């Protein structure tokens, strides 16, 4: 009975409703921006509905949604343990549930809450995009009455070596852009759930200040963005050194292999680039899996630490 009770409590909480409202408003604004951008554009010239979705990496909406995502996953439910402890509800709840079961329920609900405030609005946005925009396979990499961009899509235009020069899951994209978007939604939702549970586990041990719980995921996102900028700037600087002038670009292209040897391998380190299609090539799923594994391991460790503190929890 603990999990259903926690789920009902989450859905009725103000924090969850605010997070869901913010997420919904974001995707609505994204839809309006895409509609405004395509005003007066011939139906056959407008990009396909799959590229108007808020969760698409090249859309206006993704820039907004990726910026607020670290706060959404925490606001949904990950602060509820601190609220329970502050309101002295823990001891009352433990009358009908044991301590470890209560903690596991909190982790599960935090994961579900974080997933739902991310996935449900994005899926609704996707559905509306397919009602409004044409599904004409007029894609960025094969635009209407334009050239195909095979060299960009396959990563053959890079002047630097890359761990994965072409876009991830490219065969899925070429077969079905819709399925491609849904695949990224699944990855994004799963990682959101892991992040929500991670923050909840932190609150079990460090529950002094609710505002501090918003920092870990935000710091991870901003930190990986800064690291990626520094890393990429170093790569590009090495490439530019090997291109003496604008007039010599053609010659530099002929020496691309030599330049790649001097730059080493580049991998996109910005975490948010792994959650939306076409945000970046040079991504490695091992990098994302490593982050997920780190968060899961920390969550498990903090859970076991908290599971031995039942007396302290009951005393507030």
């Amino acid at each position: 009975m603990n999990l259903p009770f926690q789920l009902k409590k989450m859905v009725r909480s103000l924090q969850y409703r605010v997070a869901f409202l913010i997420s919904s408003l974001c995707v609505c604004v994204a839809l309006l921006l895409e509609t405004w951008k395509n005003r007066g554009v011939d139906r056959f010239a407008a990009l396909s509905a799959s590229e108007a979705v808020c969760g698409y990496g090249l859309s206006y909406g993704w820039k907004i949604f990726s910026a607020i995502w670290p706060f959404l996953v925490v606001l949904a439910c990950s602060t509820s343990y601190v609220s329970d402890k502050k309101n002295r509800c823990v001891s009352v709840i433990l009358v009908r549930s044991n301590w470890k079961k209560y903690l596991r329920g909190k982790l599960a609900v935090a994961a579900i809450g974080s997933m739902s405030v991310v996935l449900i609005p994005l899926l609704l946005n996707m559905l509306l995009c397919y009602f409004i925009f044409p599904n004409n396979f007029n894609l960025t990499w094969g635009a209407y009455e334009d050239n195909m961009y095979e060299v960009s899509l396959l990563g053959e235009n890079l002047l630097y070596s890359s761990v994965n020069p072409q876009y991830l899951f490219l065969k899925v994209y070429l077969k079905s852009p819709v399925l491609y978007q849904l695949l990224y939604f699944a990855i994004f939702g799963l990682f959101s759930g892991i992040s929500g549970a991670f923050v909840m586990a932190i609150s079990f041990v460090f529950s002094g200040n609710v505002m501090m719980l918003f920092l870990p995921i935000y710091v991870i996102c901003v930190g990986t963005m800064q690291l990626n900028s520094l890393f990429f700037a170093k790569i590009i600087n090495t490439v530019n050194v090997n291109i003496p002038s604008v007039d010599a670009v053609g010659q530099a292209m002929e020496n691309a292999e030599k330049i790649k040897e001097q730059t080493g391998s580049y991998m996109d380190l910005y975490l948010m680039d792994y959650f939306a299609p076409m945000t970046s090539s040079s991504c490695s799923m091992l990098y994302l899996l490593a982050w997920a594994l780190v968060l899961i391991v920390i969550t498990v460790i903090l859970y076991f630490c908290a599971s031995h503190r039942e007396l302290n929890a009951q005393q507030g």
Side-chain angles (χ1 to χ4, degrees), residues 20-65:
F20 200 91
L21 176 63
I22 294 173
S23 182
S24 300
L25 287 175
C26 179
V27 299
C28 287
V29 170
L31 183 63
L32 290 174
L33 288 174
E34 291 293 334
T35 305
W36 179 259
K37 184 182 73 172
N38 287 281
R39 71 190 187 284
V41 178
D42 187 274
R43 179 179 177 84
F44 295 101
L47 288 177
S48 180
S50 63
E51 300 203 2
V53 177
C54 181
Y56 189 75
L58 301 179
S59 68
Y60 291 145
W62 178 246
K63 296 177 182 178
I64 304 172
F65 200 89

Side-chain angles (χ1 to χ4, degrees), residues 10 27 85 105 176:
M10 177 195 73
V27 299
K85 191 173 180 181
S176 173

Side-chain angles (χ1 to χ4, degrees), residues 38-208:
N38 287 281
R39 71 190 187 284
V41 178
D42 187 274
R43 179 179 177 84
F44 295 101
L47 288 177
S48 180
S50 63
E51 300 203 2
V53 177
C54 181
Y56 189 75
L58 301 179
S59 68
Y60 291 145
W62 178 246
K63 296 177 182 178
I64 304 172
F65 200 89
S66 61
I68 66 173
W69 174 80
F71 304 100
L72 291 177
V73 296
V74 180
L75 185 61
C77 186
S78 298
T79 63
S80 62
Y81 173 74
V82 178
S83 299
D84 286 352
K85 191 173 180 181
K86 183 179 179 180
N87 297 329
R88 299 187 179 277
C89 297
V90 177
S91 57
V92 177
I93 294 173
L94 292 181
V95 172
R96 304 189 63 177
S97 176
N98 67 63
W99 175 239
K100 291 184 179 180
K101 188 176 180 181
Y102 169 73
L103 293 180
R104 289 195 298 269
K106 279 291 183 186
L107 290 174
V109 170
I112 294 171
S114 297
M115 288 178 64
S116 63
V117 298
V118 169
L119 283 183
I120 294 176
L122 285 176
L123 287 170
L124 289 175
N125 171 269
M126 184 177 183
L127 181 63
L128 289 174
C129 283
Y130 275 89
F131 274 119
I132 297 172
F133 299 100
N135 184 24
N136 55 7
F137 291 97
N138 183 25
L139 308 172
T140 300
W141 308 115
Y144 176 65
E145 290 187 350
D146 206 344
N147 297 321
M148 290 293 289
Y149 292 91
E150 292 94 341
V151 290
S152 295
L153 193 61
L154 300 174
E156 296 173 355
N157 63 328
L158 299 180
L159 286 175
Y160 48 84
S161 59
S162 171
V163 294
N164 187 28
Q166 69 181 30
Y167 286 91
L168 293 175
F169 314 115
L170 182 59
K171 291 182 179 179
V172 180
Y173 173 74
L174 295 174
K175 184 177 180 63
S176 173
V178 180
L179 184 60
Y180 191 64
Q181 180 69 71
L182 291 175
L183 175 61
Y184 269 88
F185 277 169
I187 294 172
F188 193 27
L190 184 59
F191 194 87
S192 298
I194 293 172
S195 300
F198 165 70
V199 176
M200 176 63 78
I202 292 176
S203 73
F204 292 160
V205 180
F206 307 101
S207 56

